Amino acid sequence: MKGNFLPITREEMKERGWDQVDFVYVSGDAYVDHPSFGHAIITRLLESRGYRVGIIAQPDWRKPESVQVFGEPRLGFLVSAGNMDSMVNHYSVSKKRRKTDAYTPGGEMGKRPDYACVVYGNLIRQTYKKTPIILGGIEASLRRMAHYDYWSDKLKRSVLLDSGADVISYGMGEHSIVELAEALDAGIPVEDITYIAGTVVKAKSLDSIYDAEILPSFEDLKADKMNYARSFYTQYLNTDAFNGKRLVEPYSDHLYVVQNPPAAPLTQMEMDDVYSLPYQRTYHPSYEAKGGVPAIKEIKFSLISNRGCFGGCSFCALTFHQGRIVQVRSHESLIEEAKEITKDKDFKGYIHDVGGPTANFRHPSCKKQMEHGVCKTRQCLFPSPCKNLDADHRDYVSLLRKLRDIPKVKKVFIRSGIRFDYLLADKKQEFLRELCEYHVSGQLKVAPEHVAGPVLSLMGKPEHKVYEEFTRQFYKMNERIGKEQYLVPYLMSSHPGSTLKEAVELAEYCRDLGYMPEQVQDFYPTPSTLSTCMYYTGVDPRTMQKVYVPKSPHEKAMQRALIQYRNPELYDLVIEALHKAGRSDLIGFGPKCLVRPRQMRGSGNDKKTGRNEPKKGSRGSNGQKRQNNSEYRGRVEGKNKKKSIRNVHSKKNRK
């Protein structure tokens, strides 16, 4: 037996004196016993309720015997693709195979199959014909109903049907998995466990389902994308535990997929209990020979303080998975975990993060939510903060101060996302000062995503002027406290609604900022987001209005190239994009130009692109003199080395 890890072999099971396990958890990730990993939370929670759990991490899906390690479990198999959708884990947005997998020992790629939930489910069903199979995790949660699959470019059925599983435990799963375990332990046949909140089940008829909203059938969804848009938006409006309805998706006259309302959010006491379970906080020792599991590096010295997000970004799946109601841990729980972190032999005095989906959300957005749920058709922050929004950072500031005071803690960083519009809604500015003074190390990454109004509106992000105001206040605060720190904006290309016109607008913003990002995120159509629905259907499901969608790889490459217009390798794409956008005025030698015109070779021009390259100390490619006092030379990690970035901010943002 390896320390206090749960058993991963039959021998370890027998060392515990067990003849059989109650549940076998099959995971697409390596076994990391840390609360940042879903398999660790679910298995430890079941263990705390007295159930015997064995873990099969990354079984060889080509061999049925790989899921027979413990034999048949007494109650059932639990199956998860891992912390990521297996297709996102395997492929970039351009559908190219990734080279490494941070959730596998040594970062080795290829240790889990594509569509892992489906493959694992069928692999188990080959041997164990009647044993209950329960799917969970992000992949199953976001594919629980009919969904658009970007990688095959088609509509797919509920993963429940294609996997051969009996139940999906969707969302974070703590409540539903315990209820499922208790029902199975009580001897209730799995086909009769159809009533648990936070689950999706199959039904042969609707005779006993009297309170559900019937969605369009799968055949209707395939026949007309508008049916899918309407169906998806109905699902989107029913993601709240307090007011969400039971939904039924017909597949035939004798087969229905039934989604029960979401499970209730965890109370603070329940959150504390979940995170106080006896995690080993690292990967299983058997992975040491391969160098461990890379993903642990990002979270080993971080604290999860909350879950859920009322930010409502269209391209994010959090609404479908964690929900919009923020759930938090107590200060005492977080301080206790932080003290445990300081005892680790590798701890250097730095807590890397205190946050969650959004770091500065430490309570529900308004008092009504815990009684009535979230508003179905209104967002808390978009298009502007709701008048009922409780924008108050005092609890978070108090927590951060307590963590800073712990012996051996030198610095507490905040690396989760900061919602700058929520920060601005808090007029006290106490958190902004604390953030700049204690929790930023040179640069703060924020996510304005875009600057063009039509794109921001479809993204569910605030107007660009809100980000400009945050920028102004950030630099003003740093000037007040005597620090020189900078913002690094995350930008997204090719989101639905972005034509070349909007892409040029974003490029001009980068020009005026003097900043060319080393990496740009192309919009990635992952399952069950509003933006993915727009991508597939060509309409905004909230309004059913048409939306322009850049789909061709070439146009997406042009939009991305415009943001990185200074890269000589992208010169031809930038020139083509500017001509197609009718913005050839940005090709020239003037101060507002993005690139110089192509000139004859042999006149000192760059041989590869025909582009004049500036000499050191001369004007840059946009014709503007480089200002040493106003530019930021930071360092960010590239693939294997650090690369220089610039982040120039105009004087108006510093005033």
Side-chain angles (χ1 to χ4, degrees), residues 161-213:
L161 303 181
D162 290 338
S163 65
D166 298 286
V167 184
I168 295 174
S169 169
Y170 72 88
M172 298 303 282
E174 289 96 345
H175 281 155
S176 57
I177 200 65
V178 170
E179 290 188 57
L180 283 164
E182 290 173 347
L184 290 168
D185 198 24
I188 301 175
V190 68
E191 59 269 19
D192 292 337
I193 306 174
T194 61
Y195 51 85
I196 294 174
T199 64
V200 178
V201 297
K202 292 176 283 191
K204 294 181 180 179
S205 76
L206 300 182
D207 293 344
S208 60
I209 301 172
Y210 56 88
D211 59 349
E213 182 166 347

Side-chain angles (χ1 to χ4, degrees), residues 410-616:
K410 299 176 183 177
K411 185 95 173 178
V412 178
F413 294 106
I414 298 174
R415 290 178 177 168
S416 299
I418 293 286
R419 277 299 292 234
F420 53 83
D421 47 352
Y422 182 73
L423 186 152
L424 292 177
D426 184 350
K427 303 303 181 184
K428 293 180 286 296
Q429 286 204 331
E430 182 182 30
F431 173 62
L432 180 60
R433 183 183 183 95
E434 294 266 330
L435 175 69
C436 295
E437 192 162 2
Y438 298 108
H439 304 291
V440 178
S441 181
Q443 59 189 41
L444 176 67
K445 295 178 180 179
V446 285
E449 306 293 359
H450 216 282
V451 299
V455 182
L456 289 171
S457 178
L458 291 170
M459 286 180 165
K461 300 288 286 187
E463 295 179 0
H464 183 55
K465 66 182 181 181
V466 178
Y467 177 67
E468 290 288 290
E469 174 60 19
F470 170 71
T471 299
R472 186 189 70 80
Q473 291 197 23
F474 177 84
Y475 284 103
K476 185 177 180 181
M477 181 60 72
N478 276 282
E479 185 176 348
R480 185 183 304 168
I481 64 177
K483 288 201 171 189
E484 190 172 356
Q485 300 183 126
Y486 302 90
L487 295 174
V488 178
Y490 281 147
L491 303 173
M492 184 184 293
S493 64
S494 304
H495 187 275
S498 178
T499 68
L500 285 174
K501 174 180 177 293
E502 283 77 27
V504 170
E505 188 175 339
L506 185 55
E508 290 184 287
Y509 171 72
C510 291
R511 174 202 64 202
D512 295 341
L513 202 61
Y515 168 65
M516 188 187 79
E518 294 287 347
Q519 294 181 336
V520 175
Q521 176 61 58
D522 261 357
F523 166 65
Y524 203 155
T526 56
S528 295
T529 72
L530 280 167
S531 298
T532 299
C533 184
M534 295 178 205
Y535 179 90
Y536 173 59
T537 64
V539 300
D540 182 345
R542 296 166 293 191
T543 63
M544 297 304 289
Q545 298 296 310
K546 287 186 177 181
V547 173
Y548 176 78
V549 179
K551 284 193 174 182
S552 79
H554 188 64
E555 181 181 354
K556 292 171 74 173
M558 285 193 292
Q559 291 207 21
R560 185 170 59 251
L562 281 166
I563 304 175
Q564 298 177 301
Y565 66 89
R566 289 184 182 176
N567 185 342
E569 295 180 0
L570 302 175
Y571 178 80
D572 290 336
L573 279 171
V574 174
I575 290 288
E576 181 184 356
L578 291 174
H579 281 305
K580 286 191 173 183
R583 294 301 308 273
S584 55
D585 59 299
L586 295 176
I587 304 170
F589 298 92
K592 294 294 184 181
C593 292
L594 298 181
V595 291
R596 296 182 177 187
R598 194 186 310 277
Q599 296 185 6
M600 295 295 293
R601 294 173 184 253
S603 58
N605 297 333
D606 180 85
K607 292 183 179 180
K608 185 173 183 180
T609 64
R611 184 181 182 190
N612 284 326
E613 293 300 320
K615 295 180 180 179
K616 187 176 181 180

